[in-house]
Amino acid sequence: MIANIIFLLGTAFSIYFGIKFGYTHSHTPPLPFVISSLIIIVGVLLFFFRKIVFKEKINDTIHLVIIGVNLIIVLFCLLPTSM
């Protein structure tokens, strides 16, 4: 449950920084892209670790939704560069 709260706060910061600073930059990766990418990497690793070690699967749906939202943010950041 604590991990979901931390990931939710990271997602909120990512969305906030995206609105404040924008989702694209000239030569550096935007802050929402960096935050969301880290959340995806750590979130997927933590999900598989929890799946293997713990049998309790109470918050898996919430965790996967947060990872999905961050994946959408990352793809949204990459969209203008591919056009």
Side-chain angles (χ1 to χ4, degrees):
M1 184 65 172
I2 294 173
N4 286 338
I5 293 171
I6 292 170
F7 287 130
L8 190 60
L9 287 174
T11 303
F13 282 131
S14 179
I15 292 170
Y16 170 75
F17 288 133
I19 292 170
K20 185 169 182 169
F21 299 116
Y23 287 97
T24 58
H25 284 260
S26 60
H27 63 283
T28 59
L31 195 55
F33 177 78
V34 174
I35 293 171
S36 293
S37 297
L38 290 174
I39 289 174
I40 290 172
I41 293 168
V42 172
V44 168
L45 292 175
L46 183 64
F47 179 75
F48 285 124
F49 176 74
R50 286 189 336 185
K51 202 100 162 128
I52 293 169
V53 174
F54 302 110
K55 300 298 178 198
E56 213 173 280
K57 294 166 183 55
I58 297 172
N59 298 318
D60 285 349
T61 306
I62 297 169
H63 194 77
L64 289 175
V65 167
I66 293 171
I67 290 174
V69 168
N70 284 296
L71 182 63
I72 291 170
I73 292 171
V74 167
L75 293 176
F76 185 73
C77 290
L78 290 176
L79 182 66
T81 59
S82 65
M83 291 179 146

